[in-house]
Amino acid sequence: MGELRLMKGNEVIAEAAIRCGCDAYFGYPITPQSEVMETLMARMPWEETGMVVLQAESEVAAINMMYGGASAGRKVMTSSSSPGISLMSEGISYMAGAELPGVVVNVQRGGPGLGTIQPSQADYLQATKGGGHGDYRLIVLAPSSVQEMNDFVDLAFELSFKYRNPAMILTDGVIGQMMEKVELSDFKPRWTDEEVERLNGSWAATGKKPNRERAIKTSLELVAEKQEIINQGFQAKYKKMQEEEVRYEMIHCDDAEYIIVAFGVSARISQKAVDLLREQGHKVGLFRPITLYPFPSKIINQMADKVKGFLSVEMNSGQMIEDILLAVSGKTKVDHFGRMGGVIATPGEVVDAMLTKLIGG
Amino acid sequence: MAKVRGAVVVDQECCKGCNLCVVACPENVLGLHKEVNSKGYHYSHMVSPENCIGCMNCGMVCPDSCITVYRVKVPVEQD
Amino acid sequence: MAELQLADIIKPENKVYGKSKIMTDTPLHYCYGCSHGVVHKLIAEVIEELDIQEETVGVAPVGCSVMMYNYIDIDWMEAAHGRAPAVATGYKRVNPKKYVFSYQGDGDLAAIGTAETMHAVNRGENIVMIFINNATYGMTGGQMAPTTMVGQVTSTSPYGRNVDINGYPLRITELLAMLPGAAYVTRQSVHTPANVRKCKKAIRKAFENSAKNIGTSFIEVVSTCNSGWKIDPVAANQWMEENMFPFYPLGDLKDGERDSFEQFSVQKLKK
C-alpha cells in the first residue's frame, strides 16, 4: 500500500511527476491549474531528485522548452488549461512531427476564447484530432478521479516514450480542483545519463558519438514523397496504438439496454445517473473511455449490436459523440446531452436526458 | 632570412564564384575562371600563383569552405 | 636557388588552412557569397578546436539556415520559428554539462521570437546565441525584417522602409546588453579576413563562457543577403559597411558575467 493522502487533483499531478522520475516541468500559470507549478515550486524537487522546474515566459516557450528537453531523451512535462493549450498547439505539432515524447496536462476550462475559468470538456476534439497543424494524433488519457491523476502521469510517460509521441492528460477544472483520497505512487529514480543513453540513445540528441550518425530532431522534410513516407510511419504508429492501447471502464454494461458514454468528471456524474435510472428499473450502464485517443471504437461497435441506444454525456456541445457515431455506424440510436460554457451537469439532468431522448423517445 | 611562398587549392565543384576570395587576396593571386563548373559557376582559381604568400585571407572569407591554403618558408640566400 | 614548383608547396605538411573536420561533405545550399557559410564554419572550427563535438548540441532556426544541421557534424534540434532559445533552454536545463547554442536570423530572433530571445537572456541561460542580422527575410524572398534599415527597399517595403508605416529598425542587441542575465554581448561581422578572425574569437569566447556558467553569451553577426538585396556579394559587403555599420556598430556591448542584482533583492513580505 502506497502513501495515502488527501490532495487536490492538480497537486497530485505535481507529486506524481516527481515520483515517477520526471526530469523537467516547464509551465506558465493559468487558472484552473496553477497549483501544479505552485506545488512543484514548493516541493523543490531539484533538491530531492534533480528534477528541473521552470516558469516559462509563455505557454509557447514552455512547450518549446519541452521540445528541447525531450530531444535530450528526457522525461519532460507541462500543464496548462484550454487557452494555454491552444498556444502550445504549435509546439505539440512540432513534437509529434519530430517524434518526441512528453506529457501535456490540460485542465480544461470553458471556451472559446478566454471563455471562463469554470470546468469544461470542450477541448475533446482539439485533443483527440490533433489540435495543431498536420496529420498527427496525441495519446489522450482522461482521468475521472484524483487517484487517476496520480496513476496516469506515469502511464502517460510510459506510452509517450513507447510510441515516441506526445501524450496528453485531458482533465478538467473539477478533477483538478477537487480533493480526494489518493494512494501515491512509490518513488522511481530519474534516469541516469547512462540509462538515457541505453534506453533512448538510438534517437535522442545526446551528443554526436563517433559510432553513430548525428541525431537531428526535426519535423522538416521538404521532399513530398519522403514526407509522405514519414507520415505513413506516423499512421502505422497510431494504428498500433488503436490495436494495443485502448483503455476503458464498463459499469453495469452486461445487461444494459442503454449505455451512457462519458469521460472524466461527466463519467462520475453519469455514474450517479445510472444508479438513479436503475432504481427506477431502467437497465442502463456506463461506458467510460479512458483513452480518448485511441478511442475504444471496436468495443462500442460490438455493444451497438445489443443495446437500444447510447447517450454521450459531455460538458460541451457534442464532440465525443462524433467518435461514438463513427463507432456505432448507424447500428443503433446515439444522442447527446451536455452543458456548455463551464456549467456542470447534474445527475438529475442526465436522468431526464436519458428518459426523454432515448428510453421514452 | 626566409621568404614565404603559398599556394591555394580551390574545390572547383564546391565553388560558387562569389568573388569574395578574389577581393580578399592582398596579392591579386586569385581570379574567376572563364570556364564554369558543373553547376555553371565561374569558379575561383590562382591566376598568379607565384604571388601567393599563403596568408589564408581567401580561405577565411570563403562561405563554402572550398579553399585549402598551403604555405612554406623558403630560405633566401644572402647576397 | 631553383624556383619552387606548386607541387612542392601543396603537400599535407604545408597545409595551413582548410575545411574544418566538423563540417560535413554536404554542399551548402546557400546563395553564392552568403554570410551563413562563413559563420557556420567558424562555429565548426571552434567546436573542433575546443574538442567538444560530442558535448555540443545546436538548435537550428526557421529561415535560410533551417537546414544547417546538414552541415555541422553534431547533434541537432530543429526549432519552430522563433523558439530556438526556448528549445536551447529546455535542453540545457536537463543537460547542464552540454554546450548548447542557438542560431537564428533577424526575423526568427528579433520578430517572431522576441519574447523567447529576451527571456532566455534575462534568465541568464548558459547558452550561446548566434544572431545573423542581414536586414531581410532571405528564405521567403527578401521581405522586410525587424532590422531592415530606414529607406531600405524590400519586397514588402517596395518604396523603402517608411517609419510612419513600418516603425524603426530594431537594435535588439543593445536591448539584450542591458539585461542582467547576459554575460557577453557583442556585434561582429565576417566581411573581411580581419573581421572573420575577430568573429571567431568571439564565438570561441562564447562557448568558453558556456562552460563557466556565467550567463548568456550573445553574438550578433551583421551579415549580407546579396540575393535578397539584389546586388553581388562584393557590393553587398560594401553596402553593409556604408549603411548598416553606422546603425549597427561593431564591437562588444557587454563582456563579463551576469549580474547578481543582490542590491535589489527585496525583504520578505510580512503578513
Side-chain angles (χ1 to χ4, degrees):
Chain A
M1 190 81 181
E3 189 181 343
L4 285 179
R5 294 250 206 105
L6 178 68
M7 287 177 86
K8 258 191 182 189
N10 288 337
E11 295 167 353
V12 165
I13 291 283
E15 187 64 36
I18 299 169
R19 286 173 182 246
C20 80
C22 178
D23 292 294
Y25 171 95
F26 305 104
Y28 187 81
I30 182 171
T31 308
Q33 64 78 54
S34 297
E35 295 89 349
V36 180
M37 189 165 35
E38 286 171 356
T39 306
L40 283 168
M41 288 295 189
R43 280 279 271 104
M44 297 201 288
W46 50 90
E47 297 204 335
E48 194 179 328
T49 71
M51 176 184 174
V52 172
V53 187
L54 184 58
Q55 179 166 340
E57 61 270 28
S58 68
E59 287 90 348
V60 176
I63 193 73
N64 284 287
M65 289 173 184
M66 268 184 75
Y67 186 102
S71 295
R74 290 284 175 182
K75 285 166 127 176
V76 291
M77 72 180 288
T78 188
S79 65
S80 188
S81 180
S82 310
I85 297 293
S86 291
L87 282 171
M88 288 182 182
S89 295
E90 176 199 53
I92 294 173
S93 167
Y94 277 69
M95 286 182 75
E99 296 196 84
L100 292 174
V103 175
V104 178
V105 182
N106 181 1
V107 185
Q108 295 171 91
R109 57 189 254 184
L114 265 182
T116 170
I117 58 171
Q118 302 303 321
S120 168
Q121 295 181 322
D123 302 347
Y124 176 91
L125 287 175
Q126 184 196 43
T128 59
K129 309 300 171 196
H133 61 283
D135 246 340
Y136 76 93
R137 290 288 190 273
L138 302 176
I139 299 155
V140 184
L141 300 171
S144 76
S145 65
V146 172
Q147 184 63 52
E148 284 187 337
M149 293 286 256
N150 174 78
D151 302 346
F152 288 2
V153 173
D154 196 24
L155 175 63
F157 270 121
E158 188 194 314
L159 294 174
S160 91
F161 273 85
K162 180 176 174 185
Y163 290 94
R164 265 205 278 143
N165 197 71
M168 178 176 278
I169 296 176
L170 186 70
T171 181
D172 56 71
V174 180
I175 310 284
Q177 290 294 328
M178 76 182 184
M179 292 185 96
E180 262 187 330
K181 185 178 83 175
V182 55
E183 183 189 343
L184 295 171
S185 304
D186 293 335
F187 279 93
K188 274 204 276 191
R190 284 175 54 233
W191 287 329
T192 60
D193 287 351
E194 292 70 34
E195 282 171 315
V196 168
E197 198 59 57
R198 181 167 54 79
L199 296 166
N200 306 324
S202 64
W203 57 268
T206 55
K208 204 250 174 204
K209 310 289 180 296
N211 59 356
R212 68 155 166 84
E213 279 294 297
R214 59 192 182 282
I216 302 166
K217 305 326 294 171
T218 181
S219 53
L220 179 71
E221 174 49 66
L222 290 177
V223 179
E225 287 75 14
K226 287 188 190 168
Q227 185 61 264
E228 186 179 41
I229 290 167
I230 292 170
N231 268 270
Q232 283 162 349
F234 295 160
Q235 294 306 317
K237 202 160 78 168
Y238 306 146
K239 191 163 176 273
K240 189 164 181 252
M241 288 176 196
Q242 283 161 4
E243 284 159 5
E244 296 181 12
E245 307 303 343
V246 170
R247 286 165 170 79
Y248 53 84
E249 185 187 19
M250 295 201 283
I251 297 168
H252 301 312
C253 285
D254 289 348
D255 65 339
E257 292 176 341
Y258 297 93
I259 287 179
I260 295 174
V261 186
F263 67 96
V265 66
S266 293
R268 293 172 72 114
I269 295 159
S270 299
Q271 197 176 335
K272 180 70 183 168
V274 166
D275 293 342
L276 294 172
L277 285 158
R278 288 224 164 224
E279 278 170 26
Q280 294 176 27
H282 302 293
K283 287 185 176 169
V284 177
L286 172 67
F287 182 85
R288 176 169 77 91
I290 290 171
T291 51
L292 300 180
Y293 191 90
F295 191 71
S297 304
K298 221 178 255 177
I299 179 80
I300 290 178
N301 182 276
Q302 286 162 10
M303 290 192 297
D305 292 325
K306 292 181 276 181
V307 303
K308 293 180 183 167
F310 291 94
L311 182 69
S312 182
V313 177
E314 317 165 59
M315 284 161 64
N316 57 45
S317 65
Q319 299 192 9
M320 183 174 65
I321 190 174
E322 293 183 8
D323 284 331
I324 301 169
L325 283 164
L326 280 172
V328 168
S329 294
K331 286 182 185 175
T332 188
K333 258 181 101 172
V334 181
D335 215 321
H336 167 265
F337 172 73
R339 297 296 304 266
M340 293 177 286
V343 178
I344 305 168
T346 64
E349 287 173 334
V350 177
V351 168
D352 288 347
M354 178 55 97
L355 290 173
T356 54
K357 293 187 177 207
L358 288 174
I359 297 175
Chain B
M1 270 297 287
K3 140 179 170 190
V4 173
R5 278 288 314 273
V8 166
V9 175
V10 179
D11 181 338
Q12 294 177 350
E13 270 310 300
C14 162
C15 177
K16 292 170 184 161
C18 71
N19 211 32
L20 290 177
C21 58
V22 176
V23 175
C25 177
E27 304 292 331
N28 299 318
V29 173
L30 296 166
L32 296 185
H33 209 286
K34 64 179 199 301
E35 303 282 319
V36 295
N37 63 17
S38 68
K39 291 175 186 150
Y41 292 118
H42 292 281
Y43 51 87
S44 169
H45 74 134
M46 287 199 287
V47 288
S48 317
E50 65 284 358
N51 292 343
C52 181
I53 53 171
C55 72
M56 309 188 290
N57 278 5
C58 53
M60 290 272 169
V61 298
C62 175
D64 291 279
S65 298
C66 46
I67 294 178
T68 311
V69 184
Y70 299 86
R71 186 167 61 201
V72 286
K73 274 185 188 166
V74 188
V76 177
E77 284 165 32
Q78 299 289 321
D79 287 327
Chain C
M1 150 189 178
E3 192 56 37
L4 263 182
Q5 296 300 305
L6 273 182
D8 299 323
I9 307 172
I10 301 171
K11 285 179 175 169
E13 62 267 30
N14 298 333
K15 186 175 149 188
V16 288
Y17 188 88
K19 187 171 172 170
S20 166
K21 278 187 286 184
I22 307 291
M23 290 295 282
T24 67
D25 293 332
T26 312
L28 277 72
H29 72 278
Y30 302 113
C31 307
Y32 79 148
C34 177
S35 312
H36 274 309
V38 182
V39 184
H40 284 17
K41 77 175 175 186
L42 293 183
I43 296 168
E45 286 171 9
V46 167
I47 292 171
E48 186 179 350
E49 284 168 21
L50 296 176
D51 193 20
I52 53 171
Q53 185 184 19
E54 283 188 39
E55 286 80 44
T56 305
V57 176
V59 186
V62 170
C64 286
S65 47
V66 65
M67 283 184 288
M68 78 180 287
Y69 49 70
N70 288 335
Y71 310 128
I72 302 180
D73 192 19
I74 53 169
D75 277 0
W76 282 95
M77 293 169 279
E78 163 58 42
H81 198 26
R83 318 298 174 217
V87 172
T89 297
Y91 191 96
K92 180 72 179 180
R93 290 285 179 131
V94 299
N95 258 335
K97 286 183 200 147
K98 287 277 196 294
Y99 293 83
V100 184
F101 73 91
S102 60
Y103 185 102
Q104 298 173 273
D106 37 52
D108 199 86
L109 181 136
I112 193 167
T114 311
E116 286 77 9
T117 301
M118 298 289 286
H119 285 277
V121 179
N122 198 44
R123 284 189 305 265
E125 297 294 340
N126 289 299
I127 56 173
V128 177
M129 294 173 68
I130 293 169
F131 167 38
I132 306 298
N133 174 11
N134 59 12
T136 195
Y137 283 78
M139 186 177 71
T140 43
Q143 291 84 8
M144 186 183 67
T147 52
T148 292
M149 303 302 298
V150 175
Q152 187 183 336
V153 171
T154 72
S155 66
T156 52
S157 56
Y159 308 107
R161 182 178 193 150
N162 176 345
V163 295
D164 294 335
I165 300 169
N166 310 118
Y168 301 88
L170 180 57
R171 279 191 279 224
I172 195 159
T173 303
E174 273 78 354
L175 289 176
L176 297 173
M178 290 167 55
L179 300 179
Y184 177 47
V185 180
T186 186
R187 185 182 279 126
Q188 302 288 332
S189 80
V190 290
H191 68 304
T192 69
N195 288 94
V196 172
R197 285 188 175 91
K198 275 191 209 162
C199 187
K200 182 172 166 185
K201 255 190 184 168
I203 294 173
R204 188 180 166 113
K205 181 185 218 160
F207 274 83
E208 285 168 346
N209 281 352
S210 171
K212 293 189 221 155
N213 287 346
I214 54 172
T216 311
S217 294
F218 184 92
I219 300 163
E220 171 178 343
V221 186
V222 184
S223 302
T224 62
C225 175
N226 57 79
S227 295
W229 299 353
K230 298 176 174 55
I231 46 179
D232 72 67
V234 175
N237 276 342
Q238 201 183 338
W239 190 89
M240 174 177 72
E241 278 187 77
E242 287 167 6
N243 296 284
M244 289 179 76
F245 288 177
F247 190 75
Y248 299 117
L250 303 186
D252 291 351
L253 287 90
K254 183 176 181 181
D255 186 5
E257 56 186 82
R258 67 191 169 91
D259 306 330
S260 74
F261 259 42
E262 234 165 68
Q263 69 271 33
F264 299 117
S265 181
V266 298
Q267 292 178 337
K268 258 191 184 170
L269 285 170
K270 286 188 184 121
K271 283 188 182 168

